[in-house]
Amino acid sequence: MTVGVLALQGDFREHIAMLRSIDVDTYEVRTPEDLERCDALVIPGGESTTIGKLATRYGLIEPIRQRCEDGMPMFGTCAGMIFLATATTGGFQPQLGVLDAAVERNAFGRQVDSFEADLTVSGLEDPIHAVFIRAPWIDKIGADVEVLASVTEPGGAVHPVLVRQGRILASSFHPELTGDTRLHQLFVDSIASG
Ligand code: GLN
């Protein structure tokens, strides 16, 4: 099994290092030809508008959508989650539209630009230490989207930050920036079980 990491912009190197640390065969994906070789795709954090523009320029949007429709597992973190989603609450930007969710970019606001929190994740025994960097949250999800973890605002509003829809996994935070490999392992196990 080989997991490609979309390497147009953002922290793709950290995903590669994390996948290698759990003995997964991985490489950087920049072209439709690269995409053909992988069994699953990770889309890193970074800047979703830049990833979207570069993916458009390199002719990757349709091939990635097609692979997703054909059942290829995908894992998007932060900007990667935005890129997978159907909509943002802001203006238009290129998105794959395969994850039935509307995301709000930079949702946590300026004063809490970046923060860390321990999250309870459904299916994992111990909490995950989650790193949020100018992170989105999910505003609306479709009926097929399962929420695995959420954050609660001081006012009580609850926002999903880790979701699964079929073979797509998406997080608002950056598991690739911690030493905790459990989410990558969960993703890899889901590829193997498909
Ligand atoms: N704020 C970025 C965006 O909207 C995401 C930040 C990140 O990936 N850490 O694309």
Side-chain angles (χ1 to χ4, degrees):
M1 181 204 3
T2 302
V3 179
V5 179
L6 190 66
L8 302 175
Q9 189 266 339
D11 67 344
F12 53 89
R13 289 178 194 85
E14 286 78 359
H15 277 288
I16 298 238
M18 182 145 274
L19 289 164
R20 288 200 174 132
S21 80
I22 54 170
D23 293 326
V24 173
D25 187 21
T26 180
Y27 66 97
E28 297 172 7
V29 170
R30 293 198 177 79
T31 64
E33 293 71 35
D34 294 338
L35 185 70
E36 277 170 26
R37 293 198 291 125
C38 60
D39 303 304
L41 184 69
V42 170
I43 305 177
E47 182 57 42
S48 57
T49 48
T50 308
I51 293 173
K53 274 184 207 152
L54 291 173
T56 305
R57 187 179 306 164
Y58 293 126
L60 276 162
I61 301 261
E62 276 314 317
I64 298 175
R65 255 185 213 143
Q66 192 56 52
R67 291 298 303 271
C68 195
E69 271 169 31
D70 295 344
M72 182 161 88
M74 300 198 175
F75 180 19
T77 61
C78 203
M81 177 172 95
I82 299 168
F83 187 47
L84 284 167
T86 39
T88 70
T89 50
F92 172 81
Q93 64 185 82
Q95 285 176 288
L96 295 167
V98 292
L99 171 66
D100 190 5
V103 292
E104 180 168 347
R105 296 177 61 201
N106 307 312
F108 294 92
R110 278 173 191 280
Q111 62 279 48
V112 285
D113 214 25
S114 301
F115 66 101
E116 303 187 10
D118 289 327
L119 285 183
T120 303
V121 173
S122 114
L124 293 184
E125 224 159 88
D126 298 314
I128 276 224
H129 189 68
V131 177
F132 293 86
I133 303 168
R134 296 183 310 283
W137 64 39
I138 294 181
D139 259 346
K140 276 193 218 130
I141 49 170
D144 293 339
V145 182
E146 182 190 355
V147 177
L148 302 182
S150 303
V151 291
T152 306
E153 281 188 271
V158 177
H159 305 280
V161 292
L162 176 65
V163 296
R164 181 163 51 201
Q165 176 189 322
R167 309 203 80 189
I168 301 174
L169 185 66
S171 69
S172 299
F173 52 92
H174 290 272
E176 72 281 12
L177 298 183
T178 67
D180 188 342
T181 56
R182 284 177 296 164
L183 278 189
H184 285 76
Q185 191 64 57
L186 193 89
F187 179 60
V188 168
D189 292 346
S190 77
I191 308 167
S193 72

Coordinates of all heavy atoms in Angstrom, one line a residue, residues 22-53:
I22 N 5.5 5.3 10.8 CA 4.6 4.1 11.1 C 4.7 3.1 9.9 O 3.8 2.3 9.7 CB 3.1 4.4 11.4 CG1 2.5 5.3 10.3 CG2 3.0 5.1 12.7 CD1 1.0 5.5 10.4
D23 N 5.9 3.2 9.2 CA 6.3 2.2 8.2 C 5.4 2.2 7.0 O 5.1 1.1 6.5 CB 6.4 0.8 8.8 CG 7.5 0.7 9.8 OD1 8.5 1.3 9.6 OD2 7.4 0.0 10.8
V24 N 4.8 3.3 6.6 CA 4.0 3.4 5.5 C 4.8 3.9 4.3 O 5.6 4.8 4.4 CB 2.8 4.3 5.7 CG1 2.0 4.5 4.4 CG2 1.9 3.7 6.8
D25 N 4.6 3.3 3.2 CA 5.3 3.7 1.9 C 4.6 5.0 1.4 O 3.4 5.0 1.2 CB 5.2 2.5 0.9 CG 5.9 2.8 -0.3 OD1 6.9 3.6 -0.3 OD2 5.6 2.2 -1.4
T26 N 5.4 6.1 1.3 CA 4.7 7.3 1.0 C 5.6 8.2 0.0 O 6.9 8.0 0.0 CB 4.4 8.1 2.3 OG1 3.8 9.3 1.9 CG2 5.7 8.4 3.1
Y27 N 5.0 9.1 -0.7 CA 5.8 9.9 -1.6 C 5.0 11.2 -1.9 O 3.8 11.3 -1.6 CB 6.2 9.2 -2.9 CG 5.0 8.9 -3.7 CD1 4.6 9.7 -4.8 CD2 4.2 7.7 -3.5 CE1 3.5 9.4 -5.6 CE2 3.1 7.4 -4.2 CZ 2.8 8.3 -5.3 OH 1.7 8.0 -6.1
E28 N 5.6 12.2 -2.5 CA 5.0 13.5 -2.8 C 4.2 13.4 -4.1 O 4.7 13.0 -5.1 CB 6.0 14.6 -2.8 CG 6.7 14.7 -1.5 CD 7.9 15.7 -1.5 OE1 8.1 16.4 -2.5 OE2 8.6 15.8 -0.5
V29 N 3.0 14.0 -4.1 CA 2.1 14.0 -5.3 C 2.0 15.5 -5.8 O 1.6 16.3 -5.0 CB 0.7 13.5 -4.9 CG1 -0.3 13.7 -6.1 CG2 0.8 12.0 -4.6
R30 N 2.5 15.7 -7.0 CA 2.3 17.0 -7.6 C 1.6 17.0 -9.0 O 1.3 18.1 -9.5 CB 3.7 17.6 -7.8 CG 4.4 17.9 -6.5 CD 5.6 18.9 -6.7 NE 6.1 19.2 -5.4 CZ 7.0 18.4 -4.7 NH1 7.4 17.3 -5.3 NH2 7.4 18.7 -3.5
T31 N 1.5 15.9 -9.6 CA 0.9 15.8 -10.9 C -0.1 14.7 -11.0 O -0.1 13.8 -10.1 CB 2.0 15.5 -11.9 OG1 2.5 14.1 -11.7 CG2 3.2 16.4 -11.9
P32 N -1.0 14.7 -12.0 CA -1.9 13.6 -12.2 C -1.2 12.3 -12.3 O -1.7 11.2 -11.8 CB -2.7 14.0 -13.5 CG -2.6 15.5 -13.5 CD -1.2 15.8 -13.0
E33 N 0.0 12.2 -12.9 CA 0.7 11.0 -13.0 C 1.1 10.5 -11.6 O 1.0 9.3 -11.3 CB 2.0 11.2 -13.9 CG 1.7 11.5 -15.3 CD 1.1 12.9 -15.6 OE1 1.5 13.8 -14.8 OE2 0.3 13.0 -16.5
D34 N 1.6 11.4 -10.8 CA 1.9 11.0 -9.4 C 0.7 10.4 -8.7 O 0.8 9.4 -8.0 CB 2.3 12.2 -8.5 CG 3.6 12.8 -9.0 OD1 4.4 12.2 -9.7 OD2 3.8 14.0 -8.7
L35 N -0.4 11.0 -8.9 CA -1.7 10.5 -8.3 C -2.1 9.1 -8.6 O -2.6 8.4 -7.8 CB -2.8 11.5 -8.6 CG -4.2 11.3 -8.0 CD1 -4.1 11.7 -6.5 CD2 -5.2 12.1 -8.6
E36 N -1.8 8.8 -9.9 CA -2.1 7.4 -10.4 C -1.5 6.3 -9.6 O -2.0 5.2 -9.5 CB -1.8 7.3 -11.8 CG -2.9 7.9 -12.7 CD -2.4 8.0 -14.2 OE1 -1.6 7.1 -14.6 OE2 -3.0 8.8 -14.9
R37 N -0.3 6.6 -9.0 CA 0.5 5.5 -8.3 C 0.0 5.2 -6.9 O 0.5 4.3 -6.3 CB 2.0 5.9 -8.3 CG 2.6 6.0 -9.7 CD 4.1 5.9 -9.6 NE 4.7 7.1 -9.0 CZ 5.4 7.2 -7.9 NH1 5.8 6.1 -7.3 NH2 5.9 8.3 -7.5
C38 N -0.8 6.1 -6.3 CA -1.1 5.9 -4.9 C -2.4 5.3 -4.6 O -3.3 5.3 -5.4 CB -0.9 7.2 -4.1 SG -2.0 8.5 -4.6
D39 N -2.5 4.6 -3.5 CA -3.7 3.9 -3.0 C -4.6 4.8 -2.1 O -5.7 4.5 -1.9 CB -3.4 2.7 -2.2 CG -2.5 1.7 -3.1 OD1 -2.9 1.4 -4.2 OD2 -1.4 1.4 -2.6
A40 N -4.0 5.9 -1.6 CA -4.7 6.8 -0.7 C -4.0 8.1 -0.8 O -2.8 8.2 -1.2 CB -4.7 6.3 0.7
L41 N -4.6 9.2 -0.4 CA -4.0 10.5 -0.5 C -4.2 11.3 0.8 O -5.3 11.4 1.3 CB -4.7 11.3 -1.6 CG -4.1 12.7 -2.0 CD1 -2.7 12.6 -2.6 CD2 -5.1 13.5 -2.9
V42 N -3.1 12.0 1.2 CA -3.2 12.9 2.4 C -3.1 14.3 1.8 O -2.3 14.6 0.9 CB -2.1 12.6 3.4 CG1 -2.0 13.7 4.4 CG2 -2.3 11.3 4.1
I43 N -3.9 15.2 2.3 CA -3.9 16.6 1.9 C -3.5 17.4 3.1 O -4.2 17.4 4.1 CB -5.2 17.1 1.3 CG1 -5.6 16.1 0.1 CG2 -5.1 18.5 0.8 CD1 -7.0 16.4 -0.5
P44 N -2.4 18.1 3.1 CA -1.8 18.7 4.3 C -2.5 20.1 4.6 O -3.3 20.6 3.9 CB -0.4 19.0 3.9 CG -0.4 19.2 2.4 CD -1.5 18.3 1.9
G45 N -2.1 20.6 5.8 CA -2.4 21.9 6.2 C -1.5 22.9 5.4 O -0.5 22.6 4.9
G46 N -2.0 24.1 5.4 CA -1.2 25.2 4.7 C -2.2 26.3 4.5 O -2.8 26.8 5.4
E47 N -2.3 26.7 3.2 CA -3.2 27.8 2.8 C -4.1 27.2 1.8 O -3.7 26.9 0.6 CB -2.4 29.0 2.4 CG -3.2 30.2 2.0 CD -4.1 30.7 3.1 OE1 -3.6 30.7 4.3 OE2 -5.2 31.0 2.9
S48 N -5.4 27.1 2.1 CA -6.3 26.3 1.2 C -6.5 27.0 -0.2 O -6.7 26.4 -1.2 CB -7.7 26.1 1.9 OG -8.3 27.3 2.3
T49 N -6.5 28.4 -0.2 CA -6.6 29.1 -1.4 C -5.4 28.8 -2.4 O -5.6 28.6 -3.6 CB -6.8 30.6 -1.2 OG1 -5.7 31.0 -0.4 CG2 -8.1 31.0 -0.6
T50 N -4.2 28.8 -1.8 CA -3.0 28.5 -2.6 C -3.1 27.0 -3.1 O -2.8 26.8 -4.2 CB -1.8 28.7 -1.7 OG1 -1.8 30.0 -1.1 CG2 -0.5 28.6 -2.5
I51 N -3.4 26.1 -2.2 CA -3.5 24.7 -2.6 C -4.5 24.5 -3.7 O -4.2 23.9 -4.7 CB -3.8 23.8 -1.4 CG1 -2.7 23.8 -0.4 CG2 -4.2 22.4 -1.8 CD1 -3.0 23.1 1.0
G52 N -5.6 25.2 -3.6 CA -6.7 25.2 -4.6 C -6.2 25.7 -5.9 O -6.5 25.1 -7.0
K53 N -5.5 26.9 -5.9 CA -5.0 27.5 -7.1 C -4.0 26.6 -7.8 O -4.0 26.4 -9.0 CB -4.4 28.8 -6.8 CG -5.4 30.0 -6.8 CD -4.7 31.3 -6.6 CE -5.6 32.3 -5.9 NZ -5.0 33.3 -5.1

